[in-house]
Amino acid sequence: SWGADNRTLYYTSERSGRKNIYRATLSRSVEPDFVNATSVREEPVFNVKRPAALTDATPEYSHPIVSPDGKKLAFISNRNEINVMDIATHKETKLTSGETYPGQDDEMVAVWSPDSRWLAIEMQPPMHDPYSDIALLDVETGRLTNITQSGYFCSNPRFVLDGNAIIFFTDRYGMRNHASWGSQEDIMIV
């Protein structure tokens, strides 16, 4: 995910034996972009130590997404918890504890609202796997609102109309996938 200054890049790497988020920045102010950079400074965002054994409970961090105002970083910790960090102060806020995605396979589909107050996410409510819904997550309060509750696949949320609406794909209508292949998706707006 690119920082708001277009001179910072956040990404995930497993170089310490566990996933961690790294920040790469251009070292020289005279260089306009990463493509032409001769020097890049790289540092881990979180202090993750190499585990002594494979079974050690070392935290993991992944899927960084910088907010449009460049002040916040949304990310996944421990494979299914959504968090937000203030980039300037490094203050972390845990928004979910795994209830939005009960799996442990480290997935997140989320997009920031243009005002950096909300995340629109794909979620899998309990007993709903493998179907997903679209939810709004207030990054200030952690309040989660499922806006589709469809019982079918809803995916790829995107804010539109200056953040006043969300579009997403759904196979709720038309030809549906009932324990077989062959569903068709429509684009909906809420």
Side-chain angles (χ1 to χ4, degrees), residues 9-103:
L9 178 64
Y10 293 87
Y11 57 93
T12 303
S13 176
E14 286 190 60
R15 64 186 73 170
S16 67
R18 293 282 193 258
K19 291 181 182 177
N20 196 5
I21 297 170
Y22 288 81
R23 175 180 31 245
T25 54
L26 296 175
S27 299
R28 300 177 59 215
S29 61
V30 296
E31 296 180 320
D33 52 40
F34 273 88
V35 175
N36 298 306
T38 58
S39 178
V40 175
R41 188 177 78 236
E42 182 184 59
E43 61 189 347
V45 174
F46 301 100
N47 186 16
V48 175
K49 303 229 186 287
R50 181 176 291 279
L54 189 58
T55 57
D56 285 354
T58 305
E60 293 189 319
Y61 305 94
S62 63
H63 294 79
I65 307 171
V66 178
S67 62
D69 65 8
K71 296 178 180 178
K72 299 176 191 120
L73 181 73
F75 62 94
I76 294 288
S77 66
N78 301 319
R79 297 184 178 249
N80 66 358
E81 300 166 350
I82 300 174
N83 300 266
V84 169
M85 180 184 76
D86 181 292
I87 292 175
T89 66
H90 288 265
K91 180 183 178 224
E92 293 176 46
T93 304
K94 183 187 286 191
L95 300 177
T96 69
S97 296
E99 68 273 14
T100 56
Y101 193 77

Side-chain angles (χ1 to χ4, degrees), residues 82 100-101 107-111 119-125 130-136 144 153-158 168-169:
I82 300 174
T100 56
Y101 193 77
E107 287 188 26
M108 177 169 80
V109 175
V111 293
L119 285 169
I121 66 169
E122 281 184 28
M123 67 173 283
Q124 287 183 345
Y131 303 104
S132 56
D133 283 325
I134 304 301
L136 271 177
L144 182 72
F153 287 106
C154 295
S155 62
N156 285 328
R158 297 290 180 260
F168 61 94
F169 291 109

Side-chain angles (χ1 to χ4, degrees), residues 141-156:
T141 66
R143 183 170 173 247
L144 182 72
T145 305
N146 185 334
I147 60 174
T148 56
Q149 300 181 16
S150 76
Y152 293 93
F153 287 106
C154 295
S155 62
N156 285 328

Side-chain angles (χ1 to χ4, degrees), residues 153-156 168-175 182-188:
F153 287 106
C154 295
S155 62
N156 285 328
F168 61 94
F169 291 109
T170 183
D171 66 354
R172 183 176 187 167
Y173 305 103
M175 189 168 80
S183 64
Q184 295 175 333
E185 293 182 321
D186 296 305
I187 297 176
M188 305 298 288

